[in-house]
Amino acid sequence: MAPARLRGRLTWLFPFLIWLPKVRPEDLRADLMAALTGAIIVLPQGVAFATIAGMPPEYGLYAGMVPAIIAALFGSSRHLVSGPTTAASVVLFSSLSLLAVPGTPDYVSLALTLTFMVGVLELALGFARLGALVNFISHSVVVGFTAGAAFLIAAKQLKHFFGLEMDSSGHFHDILIEFGQHAIDINPSATAVAVSTLLVGIAVKRWLPRMPYMIAAMLGGSLVALGLNAWLGEANTGIATVGALPASLPPLSAPISTFDQIKQLAPTALAVTLFALTEAVSIARALAARGGYRIDGNQEFIGQGLSNIAGSFFSGYVATGSFNRSGVNFEAGARTPLAAIFAALLLMVIVLLVAPLASYLPTAAMAGILFLVAWGLVDRKEIRHILVASKRETAVLSVTFFSALFLELEFAIFAGVLLSLVLYLERTSKPRIVTLAPDPRLPKHAFSSEPEVTQCPQLRFIRIDGSLFFGSVAHVERGFDLLRARHPTQKHLAILADGINFVDLQGGQALADEAKRRQREGGDLYLINVKQGLWETLEACGCIEARGARNVFRGKEAAIHAIYQKLDKAVCATCDKRIFHECAGG
């Protein structure tokens, strides 16, 4: 095997061989600092997500270890961090709680089996090269989804920010209503810790940009909590902390269930797969747009699949891209996927060595950090640009944003993608039909679309700007009907086909039908500048017969010369337009 081919095969199997040799010392330093922040952030989140999913608390931490490393190594995003998420945890609980009691060994076994099945499906989609599906997630969808998720992240942290005992598992408006009902119970001490964290983070980011502002903010908030507890007493401040965490690495697990259980889990596995991939790739695309690079959808599918397969053998439940940790990773200055790998390794060390110290970390300080992350995820400049530039894209942005706030997070993506496709089809289903004619004011009497340009009484030239497919045929046929009704003497119609890139069977049949109508009326239809692909499609669908083939021309001059011979010479004799060179000799 040739060396170049061998290298290509190796980089396809091991994509990290592409970027790993390019890592510089300064990249390592930046990634390590980002990883430290990310490792600390995942501690309370992992426990919380596992609780939401109905799993033992330590499984949330395990899901942020091995899966995160595998996804970083085999994915294509520089900033995406995989692990447990709120949405994935909720989907897991709602699906499996009907089959087993949450927290029991049977429930855990089902969760591991489901994780393995999701990983296999994700991997299969990646190998099938279906990563192009992410191309249907437009930039406006990504911006709207990111902004909506940022608001949702902040809303879910209100309870910790203000030290409240409230339910924050609903939609954005549910959380705000719940917060309003509990506002009278705001804990001043917890709020002071959260606000201090926020202010320290903003100050460090603005005036000491080289210092990792998230770690500084976390330390600042923790010191304020310690000071308040020493001054007022812990019983009076009521500042909640993360609490002691189990000090153990992920044990090996066997995601094996009976065939009947696999059959039961199959629909859920498919739904979770589609949701997890959409969430991961949407986050990866959003961060790639912010970071100025592109992701490979197929490789991201493969990375997510391998991460869940590996996670199922290391006591991790369904992992996907995390908005919280990916946002923290990006904002903390991560440069390569090593940041996610380092964060997972540091998480292992932290769990083993300093897990008990998490009992000193205030949840209010964590909330302040996530407020900073949420603010950084809102791309205000791009939102303003979209609002000014395009009403269509504004509609897509708005639908995605408000769907993320008031509906399910994953539905926001689907709603944005669906609206994008609908607007795209609506636009492409109405190709422009432009009337043209030789303009004596232009060099060599070049064709012009100016309305005052003189038209030939018997021949009309038009240009169709767009593809002829089943969705646009009705619009084009209406255009043909209007031309025949308004200009009955122009029995000959020549179509400049430069703008037609694609035609399907229905579009080709529409051209053939128009040609027959004009032939019955004593005229004909002609095609000029036909592209190779268009010609092959028309020929394959049988829309061009022997006579029709004679009406296809490579250029306007040849077309005019041939069509002129078919015009009614009696009309030409009394015509004073004389817009073609051939008219002078007629």
Side-chain angles (χ1 to χ4, degrees), residues 250-269:
L252 292 175
S253 55
I256 299 173
S257 294
T258 64
F259 181 74
D260 288 338
Q261 286 177 328
I262 292 174
K263 197 160 62 172
Q264 273 183 313
L265 292 173
T268 300

Side-chain angles (χ1 to χ4, degrees), residues 497 500-504 529-541 544:
I500 304 176
N501 293 317
F502 167 76
V503 64
D504 66 0
N529 294 338
V530 176
K531 296 179 179 179
Q532 182 66 28
L534 176 60
W535 169 260
E536 290 174 354
T537 305
L538 291 172
E539 197 173 37
C541 71
I544 290 194

Side-chain angles (χ1 to χ4, degrees), residues 97-435:
S97 58
L98 303 175
L99 304 176
V101 178
T104 62
D106 288 341
Y107 186 91
V108 171
S109 177
L110 286 175
L112 295 175
T113 302
L114 179 65
T115 302
F116 179 79
M117 294 171 66
V118 168
V120 170
L121 287 172
E122 290 175 330
L123 192 62
L125 291 173
F127 283 143
R129 315 302 291 172
L130 293 178
L133 292 172
V134 303
N135 294 333
F136 292 100
I137 305 174
S138 72
H139 181 61
S140 298
V141 171
V142 172
V143 173
F145 177 67
T146 307
F151 273 76
L152 205 57
I153 288 169
K156 287 181 179 294
Q157 294 302 315
L158 286 173
K159 61 180 291 186
H160 300 303
F161 196 95
F162 293 101
L164 299 172
E165 290 292 332
M166 56 174 273
D167 180 17
S168 62
S169 60
H171 298 124
F172 184 73
H173 59 286
D174 296 324
I175 298 172
L176 292 185
I177 292 171
E178 186 78 8
F179 174 71
Q181 293 172 347
H182 290 80
I184 194 172
D185 301 321
I186 286 176
N187 182 335
S189 299
T191 305
V193 171
V195 171
S196 300
T197 305
L198 199 60
L199 292 176
V200 170
I202 293 171
V204 172
K205 187 175 182 181
R206 181 170 182 179
W207 289 299
L208 300 170
R210 293 188 177 183
M211 182 180 293
Y213 71 94
M214 289 187 183
I215 294 178
M218 201 174 298
L219 290 175
S222 299
L223 290 174
V224 170
L226 288 173
L228 289 173
N229 285 334
W231 179 32
L232 301 174
E234 292 184 23
N236 295 320
T237 60
I239 298 172
T241 60
V242 172
L245 298 172
S248 62
L249 291 177
L252 292 175
S253 55
I256 299 173
S257 294
T258 64
F259 181 74
D260 288 338
Q261 286 177 328
I262 292 174
K263 197 160 62 172
Q264 273 183 313
L265 292 173
T268 300
L270 180 60
V272 173
T273 297
L274 295 177
F275 156 72
L277 284 178
T278 304
E279 187 174 26
V281 175
S282 297
I283 296 167
R285 280 199 63 184
L287 295 176
R290 299 288 299 278
Y293 62 95
R294 291 186 178 87
I295 65 163
D296 181 340
N298 294 317
Q299 196 62 54
E300 210 57 58
F301 280 25
I302 292 171
Q304 291 296 312
L306 290 174
S307 74
N308 276 309
I309 291 173
S312 68
F313 288 98
F314 286 91
S315 301
Y317 70 91
V318 175
T320 183
S322 165
F323 241 120
N324 284 350
R325 292 188 299 285
S326 299
V328 168
N329 194 41
F330 181 87
E331 291 294 323
R335 297 185 181 182
T336 76
L338 282 176
I341 297 170
F342 290 155
L345 295 174
L346 285 171
L347 176 61
M348 296 179 187
V349 174
I350 290 171
V351 167
L352 285 176
L353 301 180
V354 296
L357 296 179
S359 58
Y360 296 102
L361 181 61
T363 54
M366 296 296 304
I369 291 293
L370 291 174
F371 265 50
L372 288 171
V373 170
W375 178 253
L377 287 174
V378 180
D379 195 338
R380 296 169 293 282
K381 181 179 178 182
E382 192 57 33
I383 290 172
R384 285 194 297 270
H385 176 247
I386 291 172
L387 293 177
V388 172
S390 170
K391 291 182 179 179
R392 291 173 181 268
E393 296 303 320
T394 297
V396 172
L397 171 72
S398 302
V399 166
T400 309
F401 174 74
F402 288 111
S403 296
L405 291 184
F406 301 114
L407 301 174
E408 300 300 329
L409 194 61
E410 63 272 22
F411 179 77
I413 301 168
F414 297 138
V417 169
L418 182 61
L419 181 59
S420 296
L421 292 176
V422 168
L423 292 176
Y424 170 76
L425 289 173
E426 190 272 336
R427 186 165 59 246
T428 57
S429 67
K430 296 178 180 178
R432 290 180 65 224
I433 300 177
V434 183
T435 294

